[in-house]
């Protein structure tokens, strides 16, 4: 147990002699081991008591598919890596609750890529108990969230199912639709990140479809206020009845390149008084009216890869748009698409960087985690994880919060045969109420350890 280290969030004047007192503080409340089951973390309230537990996924993600058995990937992954599947639940103190599958016991770190959208949760059978739904290649796993009992498995149409999203699509307790899809390389005749498969709550396949620009991060939510969820799939809005409401074409049909122009990330939120969807799509950031698909603005970037909508700047009323460019600068835009600032985020290796991280910068899946209301004047902060050990950035583009580290945050397990973050280098950050006190905590983790931070005001 560690409880004496504290990180402060300062106002924008913190670097000046007349700095005002900090508005928030995070203390390191707990450090615990997650080896050998550590992997991609998902914060989910498994038993409905108001406190989130953690589900840890070990899976190769897209690299488990035969579609990657070709150059330059052929022979890179062992059969043990390609077959790996372990789903483990713990509480926020690291106590093991249940486990499905066997954790990794190989000599080298296992590979994983694009497994961060492989898990979702809902009471899809209407029995009053939450289910965990996990996509893993050729299978869809349905697990009772509280007990870990494997309820059923479903064979998917192809072995490249890596994403699952669950949507409330009707008024009844079993009116759910499951979106299952590929995230990247596809089998013919489908193009990049297609197709999408839709299942009802009884796991009947009800539709297979291809969508323009669909990539790695489909969004689900009630975007039109009718009480039912819709799907943002690439440059498309799909209604709860699976009809396409609108589709936006970023270029003429003869100029379309699915591998280069797909949506890397999307987020829905309010901008300037209207619901909007913002896309990070290869070299362009877009803002569209979420109701109509009308283009509001687009901005060329280095490689927009990740985006957020939030009240980041007290100096600009309402929400603004944050864009993270792949291994490059960060940007903030006002609702009209005017750039407020851009900055190059510093790398952060307080105990030194391992050689693979010196050779190639990190490119993690979720580059930021939003902390609503944790900044000055109740603004939102962003925990940035693509530069090494995480830190927070405020609405002025300033690095404003340092999470205390321990000796166990040092990472060095030698060279790896691919991207360092595919083999466990780098960190995840998740924000949730892990202790049921009504306040958000921050969980930072890698495959070996987890660190839980509590916010004080």
């Amino acid at each position: 147990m560690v409880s004496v280290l504290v990180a402060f969030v300062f106002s924008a004047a913190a670097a000046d002699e007349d700095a005002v007192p900090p508005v928030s503080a995070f203390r390191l409340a707990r450090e615990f081991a997650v080896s050998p089951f550590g992997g991609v973390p998902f914060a989910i309230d498994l038993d409905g008591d108001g406190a989130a537990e953690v589900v840890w996924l070990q899976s190769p993600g897209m690299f488990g598919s035969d579609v990657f058995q070709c150059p330059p990937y052929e022979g890179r992954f062992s059969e043990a890596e390609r077959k790996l599947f372990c789903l483990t639940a713990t509480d926020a103190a690291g106590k093991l609750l249940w486990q499905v599958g066997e954790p990794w016991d190989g000599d080298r770190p296992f590979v994983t890529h694009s497994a961060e959208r492989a898990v979702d949760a809902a009471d899809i059978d209407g029995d009053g108990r939450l289910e965990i739904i996990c996509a893993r290649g050729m299978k869809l796993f349905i697990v009772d969230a509280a007990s870990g009992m494997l309820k059923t498995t479903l064979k998917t149409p192809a072995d490249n199912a890596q994403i699952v999203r669950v949507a409330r699509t009707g008024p009844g307790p079993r009116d759910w639709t499951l979106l299952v899809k590929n995230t990247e390389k596809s089998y013919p005749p489908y193009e990049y990140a297609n197709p999408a498969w839709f299942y009802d709550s009884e796991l009947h396949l009800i539709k297979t479809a291809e969508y323009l620009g669909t990539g790695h991060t489909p969004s689900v939510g009630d975007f039109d206020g009718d009480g039912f969820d819709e799907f943002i799939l690439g440059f498309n809005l799909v209604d709860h009845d699976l009809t396409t409401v609108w589709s936006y074409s970023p270029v003429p049909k003869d100029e379309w390149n699915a591998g280069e122009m797909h949506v890397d990330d999307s987020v829905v939120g309010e901008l300037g008084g209207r619901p909007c969807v913002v896309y990070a799509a290869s070299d362009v950031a877009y803002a569209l009216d979420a109701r109509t698909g009308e283009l509001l603005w687009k901005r060329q970037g280095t490689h927009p890869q990740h985006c957020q909508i939030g009240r980041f700047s007290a100096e600009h009323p309402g929400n603004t748009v944050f864009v993270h460019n792949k291994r490059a600068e960060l940007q903030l835009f006002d609702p009209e698409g005017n750039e407020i600032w851009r900055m190059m985020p510093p790398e952060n290796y307080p105990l030194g960087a391992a050689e693979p991280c010196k050779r190639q910068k990190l490119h993690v899946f979720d580059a930021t985690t939003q902390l609503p209301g944790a900044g000055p004047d109740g603004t939102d902060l962003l925990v940035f994880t693509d530069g090494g050990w995480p830190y927070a950035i405020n609405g002025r583009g300033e690095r404003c919060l340092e999470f205390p580290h321990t000796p166990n945050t040092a990472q060095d397990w030698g060279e790896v045969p691919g991207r360092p973050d595919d083999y466990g280098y780098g960190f995840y950050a998740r924000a949730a109420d892990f202790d049921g006190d009504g306040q958000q905590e921050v969980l930072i983790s890698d495959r070996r350890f987890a660190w839980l931070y509590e916010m004080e005001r």
Side-chain angles (χ1 to χ4, degrees), residues 114 117 163 183-184 192-193 213-218 234-235 258-267 278-284 286 303-307 324-326 363-366:
S114 282
R117 293 293 182 272
I163 296 173
T183 188
E184 194 177 284
Y192 190 98
T214 183
H216 321 310
T217 56
F235 295 110
E260 296 296 328
M261 299 177 182
H262 60 272
V263 171
D264 287 309
D265 194 17
S266 64
V267 61
V278 171
Y279 293 109
S282 294
D283 62 347
V284 180
Y286 303 85
H303 187 134
Q305 182 78 23
H306 171 72
C307 52
H324 166 243
N325 288 275
K326 177 181 176 181
H363 175 36
V364 300
F365 193 88
D366 292 310

Side-chain angles (χ1 to χ4, degrees), residues 290-417:
R291 297 164 299 189
T292 65
E294 172 194 1
L295 177 67
L296 303 178
W297 51 264
K298 64 179 181 179
R299 298 292 180 266
Q300 195 85 17
T302 303
H303 187 134
Q305 182 78 23
H306 171 72
C307 52
Q308 296 267 22
I309 295 174
R311 184 176 172 263
F312 300 119
S313 175
E315 299 165 357
H316 294 80
N319 289 337
T320 50
V321 176
F322 169 85
V323 173
H324 166 243
N325 288 275
K326 177 181 176 181
R327 299 193 181 103
E329 70 272 16
L330 314 180
Q331 298 169 278
L332 192 71
F333 296 93
D334 70 15
E336 289 74 42
N338 301 305
E339 185 179 83
I340 299 171
W341 52 255
R342 72 170 61 195
M343 61 91 83
M344 184 63 70
E347 293 188 345
N348 187 36
Y349 293 97
L351 299 178
E355 287 301 319
C357 299
K358 297 176 183 177
R359 169 177 48 81
Q360 184 176 27
K361 289 184 177 182
L362 297 178
H363 175 36
V364 300
F365 193 88
D366 292 310
T368 67
T369 297
Q370 196 167 152
L371 300 180
D377 300 313
T379 54
D380 305 330
L381 298 179
L382 290 167
V383 180
F384 182 68
T385 59
D386 216 21
W389 180 247
Y391 55 85
I393 296 168
N394 65 20
R396 286 188 169 184
E398 299 163 333
R399 176 174 165 176
C400 66
L401 182 154
E402 304 296 326
F403 291 96
H405 61 274
T406 73
N408 287 326
T409 62
Q411 295 182 326
D412 194 350
W413 35 90
E415 284 295 336
V416 291

Side-chain angles (χ1 to χ4, degrees), residues 36 58 84-88 99-105:
Q58 292 186 344
L84 175 63
F85 175 73
C86 186
L87 202 62
T88 304
Q99 190 168 80
V100 179
E102 296 292 331
W104 177 252
D105 64 354

Side-chain angles (χ1 to χ4, degrees), residues 20-39:
V20 299
V23 296
S24 300
F26 278 83
R27 69 181 184 91
L28 178 57
R30 187 174 298 118
E31 177 184 55
F32 56 92
V34 297
S35 180
F37 55 78

